[in-house]
Amino acid sequence: MNTLLVSLELCTFCLILLSRKSAAFDYRYEACVPKNCGNGPNITFPFYIQDLHESYCGYPGFQINCRSHGYPTINLPENDYLVENISYLTRSFRVYNDAFSSISNRRCLPQIGNTTLPIREFNYVDETRLYLFSNCTRPLSKDLSRYEIVCRDNWDLAIWNTDENLVKGLQMCEKNVVAPVEVHGNEERNGIGNYLEILRRGFMLNWTASDCSICEESGGRCGFNTSTYHFKCFCPDRPHLWSCKPGKLYIWQP
Ligand SMILES: *[C@@H]1O[C@H](CO)[C@@H](O)[C@H](O)[C@H]1NC(C)=O
Ligand SMILES: *[C@@H]1O[C@H](CO)[C@@H](O)[C@H](O)[C@H]1NC(C)=O
Ligand SMILES: *[C@@H]1O[C@H](CO)[C@@H](O)[C@H](O)[C@H]1NC(C)=O
Ligand SMILES: *[C@@H]1O[C@H](CO)[C@@H](O)[C@H](O)[C@H]1NC(C)=O
Ligand SMILES: *[C@@H]1O[C@H](CO)[C@@H](O)[C@H](O)[C@H]1NC(C)=O
Ligand SMILES: *[C@@H]1O[C@H](CO)[C@@H](O)[C@H](O)[C@H]1NC(C)=O
């Protein structure tokens, strides 16, 4: 009776082990499941969330952090940017300066820094820039006074990069920062009335990285091995070169 119970128990134990074993996926495949910060877009290759993913789930430099407001942010040298949207299809994403995420009805521009892209894999989609000036020599000339913003706690003037008076601003003001923006319609011609809205809208960046679609379509999750510096396709069974489906040889195209 005792031996029967023991062997039954052992057997159940075996079965549990066996079923666990067969249901288990490769740990890298499991680690790289798309995740999000509560709000905002799902994060997957070439991006990875610093505390929720392993760094091999993305490319070096494509690191996302979750902030207390529940949105993903990307940290560039001088500012944090909130990642509003990611299009994995067009390999582009929309960001705006995190300093604008907490502004309410105040019409004052917060203090911000220049924008420096941290890695060469990121590129601007749009070339439009808004210059913000402070420490300007007073009184302002007639040319410049029409660029004065309403609340001048931090900034005096806002001038488009395409504006003929930009050079005057650069000459007459001691401090400036250059903010990447995206213009819609006639905004550039309509002066700077809605600068806060324009800065809050942010701008688009695109990226260069290995194409994940072959791996993804074969049921895998893309990743990157930083020690070998090679793309990986993490499949349910184990990491593969490009695809979870055998038989086809894919030529590497960066
Ligand atoms: C994130 O992925 C989940 C599961 O695929 C999906 O239901 C959800 O709509 C996605 N969220 C966004 C913001 O795309
Ligand atoms: C994200 O981008 C898609 C496609 O461009 C768009 O349909 C969607 O409204 C955007 N979502 C947000 C929150 O901006
Ligand atoms: C990024 O966008 C710019 C401007 O539209 C374009 O010239 C460039 O080819 C794009 N780069 C990638 C990798 O899509
Ligand atoms: C701008 O003016 C402020 C206050 O007058 C001063 O503290 C700051 O050093 C000045 N900055 C520059 C870059 O001139
Ligand atoms: C921002 O960059 C511009 C050049 O693009 C430079 O002239 C300016 O001094 C920089 N501003 C700050 C605050 O570093
Ligand atoms: C990266 O490659 C090294 C050497 O081949 C290997 O030991 C390691 O397990 C790989 N890491 C991942 C995450 O695949």
Side-chain angles (χ1 to χ4, degrees):
M1 187 65 191
N2 260 348
T3 33
L4 184 65
L5 261 179
V6 166
S7 54
L8 260 178
E9 260 169 34
L10 270 176
C11 205
T12 327
F13 187 59
C14 291
L15 277 175
I16 288 169
L17 268 186
L18 273 175
S19 60
R20 282 232 177 118
K21 182 92 185 124
S22 58
F25 293 132
D26 184 81
Y27 66 95
R28 287 150 293 199
Y29 172 81
E30 293 200 319
C32 296
V33 63
K35 290 181 180 162
N36 60 53
C37 292
N39 294 311
N42 288 328
I43 309 298
T44 184
F45 182 88
F47 295 97
Y48 66 95
I49 303 177
Q50 189 177 28
D51 295 324
L52 298 180
H53 282 134
E54 296 294 336
S55 58
Y56 55 68
C57 299
Y59 249 69
F62 283 69
Q63 179 187 314
I64 299 262
N65 294 290
C66 290
R67 278 301 164 87
S68 53
H69 47 46
Y71 284 91
T73 62
I74 194 150
N75 310 111
L76 305 191
E78 283 148 313
N79 305 280
D80 287 347
Y81 287 85
L82 200 143
V83 179
E84 193 166 44
N85 210 345
I86 301 177
S87 167
Y88 294 97
L89 197 65
T90 62
R91 300 188 202 184
S92 59
F93 59 117
R94 172 177 297 283
V95 299
Y96 66 87
N97 195 312
D98 201 21
F100 294 101
S101 65
S102 57
I103 52 168
S104 47
N105 297 328
R106 262 179 90 232
R107 301 300 291 176
C108 286
L109 286 179
Q111 198 59 256
I112 59 170
N114 275 325
T115 305
T116 313
L117 299 187
I119 51 175
R120 63 186 170 84
E121 283 83 357
F122 290 165
N123 274 297
Y124 294 107
V125 170
D126 203 303
E127 297 301 322
T128 316
R129 305 284 182 267
L130 191 64
Y131 278 71
L132 301 175
F133 292 99
S134 65
N135 298 54
C136 302
T137 306
R138 303 240 170 217
L140 289 172
S141 66
K142 253 207 201 91
D143 285 342
L144 286 181
S145 55
R146 68 188 170 97
Y147 302 96
E148 251 190 316
I149 62 178
V150 180
C151 169
R152 292 186 293 278
D153 279 3
N154 295 311
W155 303 102
D156 298 338
L157 314 174
I159 308 182
W160 296 108
N161 63 329
T162 48
D163 196 289
E164 54 184 13
N165 286 312
L166 176 67
V167 175
K168 284 186 185 140
L170 289 167
Q171 286 164 348
M172 301 309 290
C173 305
E174 274 183 66
K175 187 181 174 190
N176 70 74
V177 302
V178 191
V181 286
E182 182 182 280
V183 278
H184 293 174
N186 289 332
E187 282 169 340
E188 266 176 296
R189 266 186 280 144
N190 292 346
I192 46 132
N194 47 357
Y195 49 83
L196 200 62
E197 203 179 293
I198 289 166
L199 287 162
R200 163 65 182 77
R201 182 192 298 151
F203 54 94
M204 298 286 294
L205 293 172
N206 61 15
W207 73 77
T208 319
S210 301
D211 188 0
C212 178
S213 57
I214 292 168
C215 171
E216 210 164 58
E217 279 159 20
S218 73
R221 290 171 185 153
C222 300
F224 191 78
N225 189 320
T226 42
S227 50
T228 59
Y229 231 73
H230 276 152
F231 175 87
K232 280 282 165 199
C233 184
F234 297 132
C235 300
D237 60 339
R238 62 179 173 84
H240 291 235
L241 214 51
W242 286 108
S243 166
C244 303
K245 293 212 179 93
K248 262 191 181 171
L249 183 67
Y250 292 99
I251 306 301
W252 184 60
Q253 281 175 327

